[in-house]
């Protein structure tokens, strides 16, 4: 029998992609795996991360019996996507910041990239900007605190709204900015608050729907229909288990690592 589509992230950010998958593929079974024991990935060395991502994803693929893997994490995708495709026997879909669609819809040709420090400064991101937004001004805003606030929200706590205001405050000095890329999968979980507390109205763009569309294309012939769905974690957490249950993962298990 075909297995579920497995969504992987360092923390809860991949749940924003889960929401997109639910909308596009409502009958598909999903599984979720997060390396919450090592969150946040953006603060760790690249070489160590590649090994860790391979270890966790290999274990999660084996444990879930999945039909394919969605790497719903920008850091993991930019570092380990090719290595995962070489190592795993199931299809692998990655994540990139939605620079191309944002450039396509911007009227003022000034777009923003709200992402973690690791993403805004990574050479991969700069190549995306040169390739797909060469005629745009692209303002990169490091927004690491939003990762913590998204984790807090999924765990059942209200985000710190002062943190959101401070993180978004640079937008006040950009009167011609009309489109903002949410370049971390954690950030769409906070979309309603971001819209409310941004200093000025903009279009908010993320890659969730594009990822879900690609996953459907690659895995449509293999995925199992929905049933009991499992979330896999690398460290026990009652709050995280409750949060995962809110996204349809009724059972949470500890991922077996060597």
């Amino acid at each position: 029998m075909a297995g579920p589509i497995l969504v992987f992230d360092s923390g809860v950010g991949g749940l924003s992609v889960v929401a997109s998958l639910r909308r596009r593929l409502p009958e598909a079974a999903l599984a979720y795996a997060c390396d919450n024991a090592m969150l946040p990935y953006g603060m760790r060395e690249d070489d160590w991360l590649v090994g860790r991502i391979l270890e966790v994803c290999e274990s999660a693929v084996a444990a879930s019996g999945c039909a394919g893997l969605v790497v719903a994490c920008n850091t993991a995708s930019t570092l380990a996507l090719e290595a995962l495709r070489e190592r795993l026997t199931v299809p692998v879909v990655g994540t990139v910041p939605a620079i191309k669609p944002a450039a396509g819809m911007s009227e003022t040709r000034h777009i923003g990239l709200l992402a973690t420090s690791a993403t805004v400064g990574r050479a991969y991101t700069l190549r995306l900007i040169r390739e797909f937004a060469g005629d745009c001004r692209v303002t990169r805003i490091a927004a690491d605190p939003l990762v913590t606030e998204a984790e807090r929200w999924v765990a059942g706590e209200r985000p710190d709204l002062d943190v959101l205001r401070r993180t978004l405050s640079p937008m006040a000095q950009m009167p011609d900015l009309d489109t903002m890329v949410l370049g971390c999968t954690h950030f769409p979980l906070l979309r309603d608050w971001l819209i409310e507390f941004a200093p000025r109205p903009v279009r908010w763009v993320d890659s969730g729907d594009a990822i879900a569309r690609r996953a459907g294309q690659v895995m449509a012939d293999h995925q199992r229909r929905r049933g009991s769905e499992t979330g896999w974690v690398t460290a026990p957490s009652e709050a995280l288990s409750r949060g995962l249950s809110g996204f349809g993962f009724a059972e949470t298990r500890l991922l077996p690592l060597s």
Side-chain angles (χ1 to χ4, degrees):
M1 179 181 293
I5 296 173
L6 174 64
V7 180
F8 165 74
D9 186 26
S10 57
V12 303
L15 293 173
S16 68
V17 177
V18 165
S20 296
L21 286 164
R22 298 277 193 219
R23 289 191 295 270
R24 183 166 284 274
L25 304 169
E27 298 300 317
L30 304 180
Y32 193 80
C34 65
D35 191 11
N36 61 312
M38 296 298 168
L39 187 73
Y41 273 4
M43 306 299 291
R44 301 184 181 278
E45 294 294 327
D46 287 358
D47 289 344
W48 181 91
L49 271 174
V50 172
R52 177 69 179 188
I53 292 163
L54 287 172
E55 178 187 14
V56 172
C57 287
E58 280 188 302
S59 297
V61 166
S64 66
C66 67
L69 171 66
V70 174
V71 183
C73 173
N74 284 280
T75 298
S77 292
T78 56
L79 288 177
L81 194 60
E82 292 309 313
L84 285 166
R85 285 173 173 160
E86 291 176 3
R87 185 80 63 90
L88 300 174
T89 58
V90 298
V92 181
V93 173
T95 302
V96 296
I99 299 293
K100 183 178 181 179
M105 66 179 63
S106 174
E107 298 174 0
T108 64
R109 315 313 294 156
H110 184 183
I111 66 178
L113 172 62
L114 199 69
T116 63
S117 298
T119 296
V120 298
R122 203 172 287 282
Y124 182 86
T125 303
L126 301 180
R127 288 197 299 271
L128 283 176
I129 292 171
R130 286 196 301 269
E131 184 173 355
F132 297 116
D135 66 336
C136 294
R137 176 186 174 192
V138 180
T139 299
R140 293 171 287 153
I141 302 174
D144 300 84
L146 296 186
V147 174
T148 300
E149 297 312 310
E151 294 281 334
R152 283 164 50 93
W153 178 74
V154 172
E157 301 179 45
R158 183 176 174 82
D160 186 328
L161 302 183
D162 287 336
V163 170
L164 269 65
R165 290 189 184 95
R166 288 195 300 271
T167 304
L168 297 173
S169 62
M171 294 173 61
Q173 308 304 317
M174 306 171 195
D176 62 340
L177 179 77
D178 70 348
T179 307
M180 180 66 78
V181 177
L182 297 177
C184 172
T185 54
H186 278 76
F187 298 171
L189 296 171
L190 301 171
R191 183 186 293 268
D192 289 346
W193 286 287
L194 296 176
I195 292 171
E196 181 176 356
F197 292 103
R200 51 191 315 280
V202 294
R203 299 183 186 91
W204 299 89
V205 185
D206 66 79
S207 53
D209 189 62
I211 298 167
R213 183 171 60 250
R214 181 59 179 160
Q217 293 168 348
V218 171
M219 305 170 198
D221 294 336
H222 306 286
Q223 65 207 13
R224 189 179 66 210
R225 290 189 174 274
R226 289 189 67 178
S228 177
E229 297 179 309
T230 301
W232 300 89
V233 300
T234 55
S237 168
E238 290 186 9
L240 179 56
S241 294
R242 289 194 300 271
L244 290 173
S245 70
F247 283 80
F249 301 101
E251 182 180 14
T252 302
R253 298 182 185 179
L254 189 64
L255 187 65
L257 298 176
S258 57

